[in-house]
Amino acid sequence: MVLTKEYRVCMPLTVEEYKIGQLYMIARHSLEQSEEGEGVEVVENKPCKDDVHGKGQYTEKHIHLSSRLPYWVQAICPRVFYVIEKSWNYYPYTLTGEWCSFIPKLNVLIKTKYEDNNGTTDNCLDLSEEELKLRSVDHLDIAFDEFSPKHYKPEEDPKFFKSIKTNRGPLVEGWRETDKPIMCSYKVVHASFEVWGLQTKVEDFIQRGIRDILLLGHRQAFAWLDEWHGMTLEDVRDYERQKQAETNEKVQAAGDGPTPNATGSNGRNTPTQDSN
């Protein structure tokens, strides 16, 4: 059975503002979280088009994280290990697929939509009746949810951050009910690892990891508000290209060079649908 969770993450922003903030945060976050030989390597980043969603941006990344995995995962992984991530950003809708070429039964599919509300839309991503039965909903609070000490920085704490440019923050208890503007990131994550004896453990590990990343990334997007607010789309794309080049250089510094441009384990250039 595929483990399906829907995460709802509110932000004291508008959807239009977060279009810029999201791009800035991902580029900077990827650089900060990367180190020699490990981190996020951007393989491709180019415009794309879809008949339904229109123009967007396609990105392929290789996420190198061997030493960051728990020992029981490292035991079944090769020494050189990376996850392939392909994303189609048709903002305010995005589709992301993740898999690993040597574990064909590992699939993660993430559907995201952004709306200007505080997480009140019951079925934002138009899930089927069967999917709704399997779905569990997790409302994340970027200010007051428990947060990993290893990533904590006082200057990135929404309970203390005050924006000079917008006069937003600090966030107080109940902020999602009172603060304006308010938006919500709706993310449905289908995680599947069909290996007997490890399925539940791995799927739970994937969902916990995604939750931690969502909490950290959204906290940073708000705490960095004064650094990206006022940027144009062209500005933030230039920033993105610069940071991706720096990140790739850092990840490839181990001497292995860039990883090959690969399709997913199913050989297609689109996210595997096995997670549906």
Side-chain angles (χ1 to χ4, degrees):
M1 181 182 294
V2 176
L3 183 59
T4 300
K5 297 199 73 171
E6 179 176 322
Y7 300 95
R8 300 183 186 179
V9 192
C10 288
M11 296 281 283
L13 306 168
T14 67
V15 170
E16 188 62 27
E17 286 174 330
Y18 192 59
K19 183 176 184 177
I20 304 299
Q22 175 203 44
L23 295 173
Y24 178 94
M25 176 271 291
I26 291 173
R28 179 172 167 181
H29 173 88
S30 296
L31 177 61
E32 291 190 357
Q33 295 298 309
S34 296
E35 56 192 37
E36 184 175 308
E38 293 206 348
V40 181
E41 176 189 2
V42 179
V43 178
E44 196 167 7
N45 187 8
K46 64 182 182 181
C48 62
K49 191 173 182 179
D50 180 79
D51 291 340
V52 176
H53 302 292
K55 294 181 180 180
Q57 192 80 6
Y58 166 76
T59 308
E60 179 178 340
K61 299 177 181 178
H62 292 176
I63 305 171
H64 304 257
L65 36 62
S66 299
S67 68
R68 304 183 188 186
L69 299 172
Y71 74 91
W72 56 269
V73 177
Q74 292 186 38
I76 63 172
C77 292
R79 185 182 66 83
V80 179
F81 170 80
Y82 63 88
V83 172
I84 300 167
E85 177 185 283
K86 297 186 179 184
S87 179
W88 290 258
N89 186 347
Y90 304 105
Y91 198 87
Y93 172 80
T94 66
L95 177 67
T96 302
E98 296 180 347
W99 51 80
C100 180
S101 57
F102 78 93
I103 308 179
K105 294 186 179 294
L106 171 63
N107 295 292
V108 179
L109 184 67
I110 305 172
K111 298 178 181 179
T112 306
K113 191 173 181 182
Y114 306 99
E115 290 190 346
D116 283 313
N117 57 51
N118 64 347
T120 53
T121 303
D122 183 59
N123 189 12
C124 181
L125 285 148
D126 298 321
L127 301 182
S128 67
E129 288 297 323
E130 190 62 31
E131 288 174 318
L132 289 172
K133 291 177 183 177
L134 299 173
R135 174 195 69 171
S136 63
V137 178
D138 187 354
H139 294 264
L140 276 64
D141 187 332
I142 64 170
F144 292 94
D145 275 9
E146 186 176 343
F147 187 66
S148 172
K150 69 179 180 180
H151 293 306
Y152 180 80
K153 296 178 181 178
E155 65 271 21
E156 294 178 0
D157 191 332
K159 295 192 299 293
F160 305 130
F161 170 72
K162 175 76 171 182
S163 169
I164 297 173
K165 286 186 177 180
T166 68
N167 201 36
R168 299 175 203 169
L171 302 184
V172 300
E173 285 279 10
W175 69 272
R176 291 176 293 177
E177 304 300 324
T178 59
D179 281 28
K180 300 293 180 182
I182 190 81
M183 61 154 285
C184 184
S185 168
Y186 294 83
K187 286 185 178 287
V188 172
V189 180
H190 303 279
S192 173
F193 185 66
E194 299 175 6
V195 175
W196 187 85
L198 286 173
Q199 180 173 7
T200 300
K201 194 171 187 178
V202 171
E203 290 178 358
D204 285 343
F205 171 73
I206 291 169
Q207 293 284 3
R208 287 197 308 272
I210 289 173
R211 190 187 194 280
D212 289 346
I213 292 170
L214 289 177
L215 194 56
L216 173 59
H218 285 78
R219 283 168 64 101
Q220 290 177 328
F222 176 55
W224 297 338
L225 175 60
D226 287 345
E227 300 179 48
W228 59 259
H229 197 273
M231 277 185 166
T232 64
L233 185 58
E234 184 178 352
D235 291 335
V236 78
R237 286 296 184 194
D238 286 342
Y239 177 86
E240 181 183 54
R241 282 189 288 270
Q242 175 191 342
K243 294 305 175 185
Q244 286 176 355
E246 293 177 26
T247 303
N248 282 2
E249 183 178 354
K250 185 186 287 189
V251 174
Q252 295 164 14
D256 296 329
T259 56
N261 193 339
T263 58
S265 60
N266 56 2
R268 297 197 298 261
N269 283 313
T270 56
T272 176
Q273 298 300 305
D274 296 342
S275 298
N276 276 324

